[in-house]
Amino acid sequence: MSNTVKIMSNAMQAELQSFMAGVEARNPGQLKFQQAVSEVAESLMPFVIENGKYKEAKILERMTEPDRIISFRVVWEDDKGDIQMNRAWRVQFNNAIGPYKGGMRFHPTVDEDTLKFLGFEQCFKNSLTGLPMGGGKGGSNFDPKGKSDAEVMRFCQSLMMELSRHIGEDIDVPAGDIGVGAREVGYMFGQYQRFQNRWAGVFTGKGLTYGGSLTRKEATGYGTVYFCENMLNHKDDSVKGKTVTVSGSGNVSIYAVEKVTEMGGKVVTMSDSGGFIYDAEGITAEKLAFIKDLKEVRRGRISEYVTEYPNAEYHEGEKPWGVKCDIALPCATENEINAEAAQTLVDNGVMAVSEGANMPSTMDAMHIFVDNGVAFGPAKAANAGGVAVSGLEQSQNALRLSWSAEEVDQKLQVIMKDIHQKCVTYGTDSEGNVNYVNGANIGGFVKVADSMLSYGIM
Ligand code: NDP
């Protein structure tokens, strides 16, 4: 049992159990969604009970039920002329503080459970940024890996024929996520504006030639590192000179590595679903340029790194958490750090964990970090930089202008600092220790909950 739950009174524990029993009954078999809600409820229950207005209005119950879920089939033709079919969803979770906002994920594991967990998390994350964005998420069980550009285009165009009925710059604004990068966003956005016969900032993560924002591509990875720097600064320390393990080699990972290196840290691992590479000499800017080309242009595998840099090692089928480090940045996918991996990281002296991916730590792993005094930045705070710059992209589109990379990066740094401050405000205990999980959950909750209260019973 975590310290958070241990210090709850029996009455509060009973309240938490009864609330979770309801969530489990309403969402049978949706284990990721239950996990995401449970993590939030554990932080929020004492706060909600203390502030009776939220409890009376059943805000927590209402916030764990999406506004709506749109589910549809996507039929497309592959290069051989065979008909293929996938499932797609858009989960419009909560628009109390602004239009629904959240990425689209294309991966064979995508299901309603995954998108509900992501949409739920997104509500808190978007609130923390301070920008007017509600929470949503979407995606499909389509796997872009191994498909030709023409197949990906036909799939994206078919998906958008249905999705376009449900989105709009003031309704719901999707973006990228796992498996959805510049190519996919281009195909989807292009189909939207062709079909609707209007150009609107209805997608973020767009290409720079058609309304995208400078620094959007870099924002999630950079933001995760800025958040980590803020956590370390709070302890009079910094990223400079630290050894860092990173998982993944996609959009978030690449730009997290770039920022750590720029700030004087040394990244020694990256990974993909095949395994991880360990480079004791550090992944320098020059080596990262190789990875960018490998992953963003050639769509290759991380194992190819050791052919180019033979001093590095490739560990097939393994995750990087056994490598000794000061900072860990999980940037691949959910539940990639379990209790055993967390304990290994703690035993090896990790001082900070900043989550670039969404829910990469299991509940047990999270408890191990928090209980051992690791500066643990949960995803909804640490990776909010991506959606924050998406919000800035929407502002630029609405204003019909483009800000410079320096301007956007400056705003991103301010937003990450503000999010850190919210976590400190809501998460500092009587001994002065910051529990960033509590801080992010309560800090994200208040704005959404107060807006819902203002709207009355609905
Ligand atoms: P990408 O598709 O660009 O990269 C994902 C990386 O994670 C790849 O290296 C991929 O390896 C690896 N990966 C994916 N699934 C698994 C798995 N089941 N096991 C092991 N490795 C896996 O995605 P992003 O970088 O955009 O997203 C990464 C994470 O960050 C996700 O959790 C996403 O929700 C989160 N996030 C992303 C934001 C963004 O702006 N892009 C914003 C906020 C959060 P492989 O190629 O082998 O599949």
Side-chain angles (χ1 to χ4, degrees):
M1 193 186 285
S2 76
N3 281 349
T4 323
V5 177
K6 263 187 280 183
I7 56 170
M8 276 187 194
S9 67
N10 287 344
M12 265 185 209
Q13 280 190 40
E15 194 77 46
L16 180 60
Q17 276 166 11
S18 140
F19 170 75
M20 280 312 300
V23 170
E24 284 159 25
R26 286 194 298 279
N27 304 278
Q30 299 196 329
L31 300 183
K32 290 184 200 175
F33 179 62
Q34 291 174 16
Q35 178 185 342
V37 173
S38 172
E39 185 236 283
V40 166
E42 197 176 287
S43 291
L44 282 179
M45 198 51 79
F47 182 78
V48 166
I49 290 174
E50 231 168 76
N51 295 273
K53 58 182 179 178
Y54 300 128
K55 188 165 156 38
E56 276 159 36
K58 289 205 163 61
I59 292 291
L60 210 46
E61 285 80 352
R62 287 155 62 181
M63 273 179 73
T64 49
E65 202 59 44
D67 288 351
R68 70 189 63 78
I69 299 174
I70 298 138
S71 164
F72 53 101
R73 71 171 180 273
V74 181
V75 183
W76 55 283
E77 200 178 332
D78 68 18
D79 287 346
K80 288 190 248 130
D82 291 336
I83 304 294
Q84 300 290 340
M85 192 179 75
N86 288 91
R87 272 187 161 181
W89 296 262
R90 187 73 188 162
V91 179
Q92 297 183 330
F93 219 104
N94 188 304
N95 67 353
I97 64 168
Y100 304 106
K101 180 89 196 85
M104 294 290 289
R105 176 178 291 193
F106 292 169
H107 195 272
T109 58
V110 166
D111 55 14
E112 198 177 292
D113 177 25
T114 307
L115 298 175
K116 275 170 73 178
F117 119 65
L118 289 164
F120 177 69
E121 289 278 298
Q122 199 80 44
C123 301
F124 293 80
K125 181 187 313 195
N126 294 2
S127 164
L128 280 169
T129 66
L131 300 172
M133 300 183 289
K137 198 82 188 187
S140 170
N141 58 2
F142 173 77
D143 187 359
K145 268 197 217 108
K147 305 284 191 303
S148 70
D149 287 351
E151 288 175 325
V152 172
M153 180 183 75
R154 288 196 291 272
F155 171 80
C156 289
Q157 291 181 339
S158 178
L159 177 141
M160 186 47 84
M161 288 304 283
E162 176 61 35
L163 188 65
S164 62
R165 300 176 209 270
H166 310 287
I167 61 176
E169 66 273 35
D170 293 320
I171 301 169
D172 184 352
V173 184
D177 191 78
I178 290 178
V180 179
R183 176 181 61 171
E184 291 76 13
V185 170
Y187 291 149
M188 283 190 275
F189 180 73
Q191 182 74 348
Y192 173 88
Q193 58 107 357
R194 168 189 179 204
F195 181 55
Q196 299 279 336
N197 192 26
R198 64 190 286 268
W199 195 106
V202 73
F203 232 96
T204 59
K206 298 186 291 299
L208 295 176
T209 55
Y210 57 93
S213 172
L214 286 160
T215 316
R216 172 59 189 92
K217 187 170 69 166
E218 295 85 354
T220 310
Y222 280 16
T224 302
V225 179
Y226 291 148
F227 192 82
C228 190
E229 178 74 355
N230 277 291
M231 291 196 296
L232 290 174
N233 287 172
H234 197 70
K235 293 181 159 190
D236 294 324
D237 208 333
S238 76
V239 168
K240 191 169 180 191
K242 300 294 186 294
T243 299
V244 182
T245 49
V246 173
S247 64
S249 47
N251 172 261
V252 180
S253 317
I254 285 173
Y255 294 98
V257 173
E258 183 164 282
K259 188 49 71 178
V260 168
T261 311
E262 268 175 40
M263 289 172 73
K266 181 168 84 165
V267 178
V268 292
T269 68
M270 288 183 83
S271 69
D272 61 22
S273 51
F276 80 91
I277 52 123
Y278 171 54
D279 186 341
E281 294 160 10
I283 301 170
T284 58
E286 178 222 324
K287 292 173 182 173
L288 187 65
F290 168 81
I291 292 177
K292 280 186 191 172
D293 179 62
L294 175 72
K295 286 290 179 178
E296 293 180 344
V297 182
R298 292 189 281 131
R299 299 182 189 275
R301 308 304 299 159
I302 198 69
S303 55
E304 294 170 50
Y305 183 90
V306 294
T307 313
E308 189 73 12
Y309 302 105
N311 286 348
E313 299 164 10
Y314 177 60
H315 297 262
E316 193 171 342
E318 288 179 44
K319 294 182 166 58
W321 313 124
V323 173
K324 189 172 164 47
C325 63
D326 305 306
I327 298 170
L329 304 178
C331 296
T333 193
E334 58 266 19
N335 292 330
E336 54 170 312
I337 301 185
N338 60 16
E340 195 188 337
Q343 194 57 55
T344 305
L345 281 161
V346 168
D347 293 345
N348 282 337
V350 75
M351 58 173 69
V353 176
S354 192
E355 293 189 327
N358 281 312
M359 205 168 75
S361 310
T362 63
M363 285 279 278
D364 289 343
M366 183 189 82
H367 290 149
I368 289 169
F369 291 136
V370 173
D371 293 351
N372 283 281
V374 174
F376 175 73
K380 54 175 79 68
N383 74 25
V387 74
V389 173
S390 277
L392 301 179
E393 182 174 329
Q394 288 176 260
S395 304
Q396 292 170 78
N397 291 165
L399 294 166
R400 296 280 190 262
L401 49 77
S402 300
W403 297 328
S404 70
E406 292 70 30
E407 228 174 327
V408 179
D409 187 51
Q410 197 53 43
K411 290 183 199 296
L412 170 64
Q413 290 191 46
V414 169
I415 290 172
M416 295 316 292
K417 206 178 175 64
D418 287 350
I419 295 175
H420 179 267
Q421 187 50 49
K422 279 186 193 127
C423 293
V424 170
T425 304
Y426 287 106
T428 305
D429 67 18
S430 52
E431 286 157 21
N433 301 314
V434 186
N435 180 324
Y436 287 93
V437 177
N438 288 347
N441 286 333
I442 301 171
F445 170 79
V446 171
K447 185 174 164 190
V448 181
D450 286 348
S451 305
M452 289 173 75
L453 282 181
S454 307
Y455 299 152
I457 301 170
M458 55 197 286

